[in-house]
Amino acid sequence: MLYCVKVKKIFLLLGQIPFIEESDERSYMFSKAYSAAIHGIDGVIVNVEADVSDGLPTFEMVGFLSSEVREAKERVRISIKNSGFRLSPKRITINLSPADLKKEGTAFDLPIAVTILSAFGYITQSNLEHTLIIGELSLNGQINPVNGVLPIVHSAKEQGFYRCIVPIANVKEGAVVSDIDVIGVNTLEQVVQYLNNDKYIEPEYVDIDSLFQNQMMQSANDFSDVTGQESTKRAILVAVSGMHNILMIGPPGSGKTMLSKRIPSIMPELSFDESMEISKVYSVAGLLDNNHALVLERPFRAPHHTITTSALAGGGKVPRPGEISLASRGVLFLDELPEFNKNTLEILRQPLEDKSITIARLNATYSYPTAFMLVAAMNPCNCGYYPDRKRCNCSINEVKRYLGKVSMPLMDRVDICSETYSVNYKDLEKKENSVSSLELRKEVKRVREIQLERYKNEKFNFNSLLTPQLMNTYCGLERSEKKLLEDVFDKLNLTARAYHKILKVARTIADLDDSERIKRIHLSEAISYRSIDKKYWGE
């Protein structure tokens, strides 16, 4: 227990109780707890300090606080009173450090209350060592859930904390982090009882292995449901195997959306590290709960074409992940591509290359992953039937205007362009099923294992991430293949980026063929995926 004493000096050491000596200066009580703030998808440890001294009874908070954090003093004061604790009239000063990091959100309510109660002697301060506390308080002392618990607990573990006290509604989300005790609490009174060892709360445990074993990988959407479009299925297989971006162009009703929705079903199961990365993003976005504490399936995000720039890329006054980050390690599907706002589409260019996005604000910079596979679908014109002049009445200028909504710099970042065709009656009447998602997934797994072995000494795992400096190492061509590519480069008026993407796709096709060397047939197929866009967009 800390007592009201005369202060001479205070030594503040992380994880240690301050040493207090007597003096004739003023009445003083000090306490300290730890909370955390979200910075991107990583947590930053915040020290919550309380100074309680004689003087006019006031409650002040400092430390570069946002409005919602400043409002915490009223929530905390009333919550403490309604939880049955009485505070004598004192001058209370709360400091949240580091002071140069802006504190936002409501997760600081509970640590502020605990720090004050510790300073007044209701909690033994030594029991706060190596403990991180987060939670929002209601006026009646109930503890409400907050966003971002998973990355906060993960950061606490890395910082050497032994346990985290979190809202009961967030406990399973935090418990997916191993080797740290995660305690779920309902009320402020319960927290005080636990910290004083008057009540034992069992740390939450989540069986990660069981979660992954019980996850059903067989999706309700299966490629065996799709009849026809064999060339597009092949293009999708190549794209998924090497994590290449793909665009499907064709008339309405030809199966573009149906095929796209089935792409996650042929992707390999998430690894634990991938699941943790995605789950952190979803935690920050407030999309996790106790029923879904960990993301176990490949994301498939399909935003409507009316989406705003900040909703797609992320942002806001307090930046949050956008659709491109929520789709990381999975699929971002943009249906009716030309209908999206052109400025919105253009923001995809940098994330597609860098696999991350950085959102800068005056007070901080936030970084989110964007390692998604872009899948886009579009009609070739307003009516959707160009170049079938029997059904299309659009003029050439109308077609060009429609296609021009998708810029060539963005098209340059699409590795594969595949054309779909109207399905005829005979295809619909076929009784035999086409290849299933399970069979295709086995092929994808095999090719990805080849890439993992090839790039084991590199900082990437997929052919789509090959850098120009490594092209000669992993995509070497014989003389005849070089001549073919040279002729195509001049004929199609390709850019350097398009040239490299052809080589990357050819490398994946060669892996599907279990070939060490990129052969002419592999290169020809890769070139065909670039020539289709020239058919519509021209030179």
Side-chain angles (χ1 to χ4, degrees):
M1 171 131 1
L2 290 179
Y3 299 94
C4 181
V5 296
K6 304 296 183 179
V7 174
K8 182 176 181 181
K9 58 182 178 179
I10 305 171
F11 299 97
L12 301 181
L13 297 176
L14 183 66
Q16 295 186 3
I17 305 173
F19 174 71
I20 304 178
E21 293 185 359
E22 292 193 3
S23 174
D24 295 328
E25 295 177 5
R26 61 190 175 92
S27 180
Y28 182 97
M29 289 182 289
F30 177 84
S31 184
K32 185 173 183 178
Y34 302 97
S35 185
I38 290 294
H39 194 264
I41 60 168
D42 296 316
V44 178
I45 302 302
V46 175
N47 303 313
V48 183
E49 303 170 329
D51 177 292
V52 180
S53 59
D54 291 336
L56 291 175
T58 60
F59 192 152
E60 298 294 336
M61 294 177 58
V62 296
F64 200 10
L65 313 177
S66 65
S67 59
E68 63 265 27
V69 181
R70 289 188 180 279
E71 292 168 355
K73 64 182 181 182
E74 293 302 319
R75 290 193 298 271
V76 169
R77 182 177 61 82
I78 298 173
S79 180
I80 289 175
K81 181 196 71 173
N82 291 337
S83 296
F85 303 103
R86 293 293 176 263
L87 305 180
S88 56
K90 294 285 183 180
R91 181 182 180 86
I92 302 173
T93 303
I94 300 294
N95 177 45
L96 277 66
S97 66
D100 61 345
L101 175 69
K102 189 164 187 180
K103 320 304 184 303
E104 297 170 314
T106 57
F108 300 102
D109 292 8
L110 184 57
I112 290 171
V114 168
T115 308
I116 293 172
L117 290 172
S118 178
F120 274 95
Y122 285 106
I123 298 172
T124 304
Q125 188 171 348
S126 60
N127 292 344
L128 296 177
E129 290 187 25
H130 307 293
T131 301
L132 185 134
I133 305 169
I134 39 179
E136 177 188 326
L137 285 173
S138 293
L139 298 184
N140 61 358
Q142 292 287 326
I143 299 174
N144 299 326
V146 296
N147 295 341
V149 167
L150 176 56
I152 287 173
V153 174
H154 187 266
S155 294
K157 172 189 170 183
E158 292 181 337
Q159 294 278 347
F161 287 83
Y162 298 163
R163 64 180 174 179
C164 291
I165 297 177
V166 305
I168 191 69
N170 297 120
V171 67
K172 289 189 181 296
E173 177 186 340
V176 301
V177 181
S178 58
D179 300 325
I180 185 171
D181 289 342
V182 180
I183 310 298
V185 289
N186 279 308
T187 65
L188 178 59
E189 183 182 8
Q190 187 182 30
V191 174
V192 175
Q193 292 173 347
Y194 173 76
L195 289 172
N196 286 332
N197 299 318
D198 295 331
K199 180 176 184 177
Y200 177 73
I201 301 176
E202 184 77 24
E204 188 68 22
Y205 173 73
V206 174
D207 190 345
I208 302 297
D209 293 335
S210 177
L211 283 178
F212 277 93
Q213 288 173 2
N214 294 335
Q215 179 61 33
M216 295 296 292
M217 287 305 301
Q218 187 64 38
S219 172
N221 295 321
D222 197 282
F223 266 88
S224 61
D225 302 329
V226 184
T227 57
Q229 309 298 353
E230 297 304 321
S231 61
T232 302
K233 289 180 186 177
R234 167 68 179 183
I236 289 174
L237 175 61
V238 174
V240 176
S241 297
M243 278 297 282
H244 301 287
N245 303 316
I246 182 172
L247 168 68
M248 288 174 279
I249 182 169
S254 57
K256 301 185 294 297
T257 302
M258 188 177 186
L259 286 163
S260 300
K261 288 182 177 180
R262 282 153 177 76
I263 289 178
S265 69
I266 67 173
M267 288 181 155
E269 300 87 345
L270 283 173
S271 67
F272 177 74
D273 289 340
E274 288 176 324
S275 178
M276 281 293 291
E277 178 189 300
I278 303 167
S279 298
K280 284 182 182 181
V281 176
Y282 276 63
S283 177
V284 172
L287 298 177
L288 292 184
D289 54 41
N290 276 346
N291 295 323
H292 303 91
L294 199 64
V295 177
L296 300 173
E297 295 180 340
R298 298 275 176 186
F300 181 85
R301 306 293 297 187
H304 192 260
H305 61 76
T306 56
I307 190 171
T308 63
T309 300
S310 59
L312 184 64
K317 183 180 178 182
V318 180
R320 289 290 181 264
E323 289 293 331
I324 61 176
S325 297
L326 295 173
S328 191
R329 304 295 178 182
V331 173
L332 176 68
F333 176 49
L334 303 183
D335 201 5
E336 305 297 343
L337 187 66
E339 301 301 330
F340 283 78
N341 182 283
K342 192 168 184 178
N343 292 332
T344 301
L345 287 180
E346 293 307 304
I347 66 167
L348 293 173
R349 285 154 59 174
Q350 179 265 333
L352 283 170
E353 292 289 320
D354 298 343
K355 303 303 178 185
S356 67
I357 187 168
T358 300
I359 302 170
R361 292 293 182 266
L362 180 63
N363 302 317
T365 300
Y366 301 77
S367 293
Y368 301 112
T370 59
F372 61 88
M373 174 183 166
L374 175 64
V375 178
M378 62 178 288
N379 298 328
C381 65
N382 281 305
C383 72
Y385 295 105
Y386 179 82
D388 184 358
R389 283 307 184 180
K390 293 180 179 179
R391 307 175 72 181
C392 176
N393 295 317
C394 299
S395 68
I396 292 299
N397 286 335
E398 287 175 331
V399 173
K400 287 183 177 180
R401 192 178 302 115
Y402 184 80
L403 295 173
K405 295 179 181 179
V406 182
S407 70
M408 289 312 298
L410 181 60
M411 281 299 301
D412 238 8
R413 287 163 172 81
V414 175
D415 307 53
I416 295 173
C417 185
S418 180
E419 194 171 12
T420 60
Y421 303 95
S422 297
V423 181
N424 58 46
Y425 182 79
K426 290 182 179 179
D427 286 333
L428 293 175
E429 282 295 295
K430 283 182 178 178
K431 299 301 181 183
E432 67 273 9
N433 288 330
S434 59
V435 63
S436 69
S437 291
L438 182 61
E439 294 173 281
L440 292 174
R441 190 191 307 141
K442 288 178 180 178
E443 273 293 282
V444 171
K445 281 184 176 180
R446 180 182 66 82
V447 175
R448 290 199 176 185
E449 286 171 3
I450 293 172
Q451 294 170 77
L452 283 173
E453 178 61 27
R454 178 187 297 129
Y455 304 127
K456 61 183 178 183
N457 296 323
E458 306 293 347
K459 295 181 179 179
F460 56 87
N461 298 325
F462 300 111
N463 291 328
S464 60
L465 301 179
L466 269 168
T467 62
Q469 294 82 4
L470 295 173
M471 287 293 183
N472 289 334
T473 305
Y474 298 112
C475 300
L477 302 176
E478 298 292 335
R479 182 178 297 177
S480 61
E481 285 81 20
K482 286 182 178 179
K483 183 64 170 65
L484 172 62
L485 195 53
E486 181 183 352
D487 293 341
V488 169
F489 187 88
D490 294 333
K491 184 177 180 180
L492 297 181
N493 195 23
L494 299 176
T495 63
R497 182 181 284 112
Y499 164 81
H500 289 138
K501 288 194 176 294
I502 287 175
L503 283 176
K504 294 174 187 179
V505 173
R507 178 67 270 171
T508 301
I509 296 169
D511 291 339
L512 278 165
D513 206 20
D514 207 15
S515 172
E516 287 283 342
R517 185 173 68 86
I518 297 176
K519 300 177 182 177
R520 190 181 183 90
I521 188 173
H522 308 139
L523 201 57
S524 298
E525 183 178 349
I527 292 169
S528 71
Y529 296 136
R530 293 299 310 186
S531 60
I532 291 175
D533 67 317
K534 297 296 179 182
K535 170 182 174 181
Y536 290 97
W537 278 268
E539 296 293 336

